[in-house]
Amino acid sequence: MDNKDIKKGMRKRKAVQFGFGLLQNAYIKGFLDKSIYSGRLKKLCVPGLNCHSCPGALGACPIGGLQSLFDGRRRQTGFYVLGWLAMAGILAGRFVCGWLCLFGLIQELLYMIPVPKITVPEKADRKLRYLKYVILALFVVVLPLAYRGGSGSGVPFFCKYICPAGTLEAGVPLVLLWDGMRGAVGGLFLWKSTLLVLTLAASMMIYRPFCRYICPLGAFYALFQKISFTRLALDKSRCIDCGRCTAVCKMGVNVTHDPNSAECIRCGECVSACPEKALHFGYDGRVRPADGEA
Amino acid sequence: MKKAALKYVIFVAAALMVMYGMVNGEPETVAQKATKVCLECIGIG
């Protein structure tokens, strides 16, 4: 396979990312009427990170939804969202990150801007990758469960203090669209805007930095990466150790060493890059029989 | 437990969790939060 195959695969993935991003934010009326969708679809969580306060959002954000269920005033478990995420994770691991997440697409588009790129030193990169698990445990689970606000209500710590997707998809549009919202802007919005600018700037130089180091949803899906139904299979009898798969991987995965790494977003670029067709996605990570075999 | 069996167990457990959540009224709670502008979520409240 050559660069043409890689580009063809990338175009296909971009089309899916764009299509799904538009589909889950298709409530155009929200932008026109300065409102948000309040229909029955909001009971469903979208698989990727997509703020439900975005005027166009048709579904709920799973991370926002999970934190709302951890509000101590209601005796609810969060099982509805956790179960839904576990189903998506066990089916295909971090496939959602690579194909269905709008904020992932935004970071990828920013990385296409021709500015000098940064390679995070391996040692620092390895340590920083654990940060997303800490954020998942602390800001999405422990703090929302343990802390109560003044009225006894839970606080969505991740959304409130970290999530740049919420600021970009909902905060900024709402502040621009609604005069009343502009008057309410304060220190917290300044903090969140700073995080957003830093994330967007970093995305121009580092491939998907938020997904690598911060995203709690990616951290959750990563837990299923090695046991999911669909996994990347490496046929060692075909592999010629040319290293092309690892060279094209922008997430820094050593594909031949660990094809189902927790960092892999299953974009499939390594599959397209392999000149020997030694890599493919398959049920249970099983190697496809060679041509002519049963 | 074998890896192959584990994923089926997780899938069934996840489906049961979703069903339990539905019976417990969790989709309504999610919708309740998601149908109002969450000022905290967007960095205003």
Side-chain angles (χ1 to χ4, degrees), chain A residues 24-25 31 36 42 46 48-65 101-103 159 163-174 192, chain B residues 33-34 36-43:
Chain A
Q24 63 188 359
N25 291 292
F31 292 100
I36 66 169
K42 277 271 171 88
V46 294
L49 203 66
N50 194 86
C51 186
H52 45 224
S53 290
C54 169
L58 288 173
C61 172
I63 294 295
C101 181
L102 179 62
F103 200 61
C159 301
C163 187
T167 315
L168 180 68
E169 294 164 7
V172 172
L174 290 174
K192 294 271 316 263
Chain B
K33 187 80 176 176
K36 291 181 196 131
V37 175
C38 170
L39 294 176
E40 285 170 318
C41 303
I42 61 173

Side-chain angles (χ1 to χ4, degrees), chain A:
Chain A
M1 295 210 185
D2 53 20
N3 286 339
K4 231 169 85 182
D5 293 308
I6 299 175
K7 281 184 183 162
K8 196 176 154 193
M10 273 178 69
R11 274 201 299 271
K12 190 171 133 192
R13 190 168 69 91
K14 284 278 176 293
V16 174
Q17 286 174 297
F18 266 113
F20 198 77
L22 287 174
L23 185 71
Q24 63 188 359
N25 291 292
Y27 189 66
I28 307 299
K29 198 168 173 273
F31 292 100
L32 302 174
D33 293 358
K34 302 171 188 176
S35 61
I36 66 169
Y37 173 73
S38 56
R40 297 177 68 180
L41 286 175
K42 277 271 171 88
K43 288 181 183 179
L44 300 173
C45 292
V46 294
L49 203 66
N50 194 86
C51 186
H52 45 224
S53 290
C54 169
L58 288 173
C61 172
I63 294 295
L66 192 57
Q67 289 169 97
S68 67
L69 289 172
F70 287 157
D71 186 328
R73 288 174 301 180
R74 306 177 186 96
R75 287 173 188 271
Q76 289 179 324
T77 55
F79 279 4
Y80 172 65
V81 178
L82 286 171
W84 161 238
L85 293 179
M87 281 172 85
I90 201 66
L91 285 175
R94 288 188 76 179
F95 168 84
V96 168
C97 306
W99 291 77
L100 304 177
C101 181
L102 179 62
F103 200 61
L105 171 66
I106 291 166
Q107 290 171 83
E108 284 182 22
L109 295 177
L110 287 168
Y111 191 73
M112 291 164 87
I113 296 171
V115 295
K117 306 301 175 194
I118 295 173
T119 306
V120 180
E122 206 183 318
K123 209 173 161 187
D125 179 64
R126 252 202 324 263
K127 283 184 181 163
L128 281 169
R129 284 173 179 187
Y130 289 106
L131 185 60
K132 58 181 173 289
Y133 299 100
V134 175
I135 288 172
L136 170 65
L138 202 63
F139 285 84
V140 179
V141 181
V142 176
L143 287 172
L145 272 173
Y147 181 81
R148 296 283 153 252
S151 58
S153 60
V155 178
F157 276 87
F158 176 76
C159 301
K160 186 170 181 177
Y161 296 109
I162 298 178
C163 187
T167 315
L168 180 68
E169 294 164 7
V172 172
L174 290 174
V175 165
L176 290 175
L177 287 170
W178 290 1
D179 296 337
M181 206 67 89
R182 240 166 280 154
V185 165
L188 183 61
F189 192 74
L190 185 68
W191 162 251
K192 294 271 316 263
S193 302
T194 307
L195 284 184
L196 172 64
V197 170
L198 288 174
T199 306
L200 299 182
S203 302
M204 291 182 211
M205 294 171 277
I206 303 167
Y207 187 72
R208 297 180 72 142
F210 179 78
C211 311
R212 279 175 188 236
Y213 306 128
I214 310 291
C215 185
L217 195 52
F220 188 85
Y221 287 138
L223 301 174
F224 301 93
Q225 195 81 333
K226 291 192 193 302
I227 52 167
S228 61
F229 282 93
T230 307
R231 295 204 298 278
L232 195 60
L234 169 67
D235 186 344
K236 287 190 174 162
S237 66
R238 286 182 178 185
C239 178
I240 54 169
D241 273 327
C242 65
R244 284 202 67 184
C245 49
T246 298
V248 297
C249 180
K250 297 192 194 84
M251 291 300 283
V253 174
N254 184 337
V255 182
T256 50
H257 177 70
D258 187 8
N260 290 294
S261 157
E263 300 309 312
C264 170
I265 55 167
R266 298 197 163 153
C267 65
E269 279 186 39
C270 56
V271 175
S272 305
C274 181
E276 299 297 319
K277 297 184 182 174
L279 283 162
H280 64 92
F281 287 106
Y283 171 76
D284 215 8
R286 280 182 205 154
V287 173
R288 192 183 289 155
D291 297 338
E293 283 180 28

Side-chain angles (χ1 to χ4, degrees), chain B residues 1-22:
Chain B
M1 190 186 293
K2 277 188 176 176
K3 234 186 209 181
L6 182 64
K7 61 179 177 294
Y8 286 99
V9 171
I10 292 175
F11 186 82
V12 172
L16 290 173
M17 283 167 77
V18 172
M19 283 189 253
Y20 178 82
M22 288 172 83

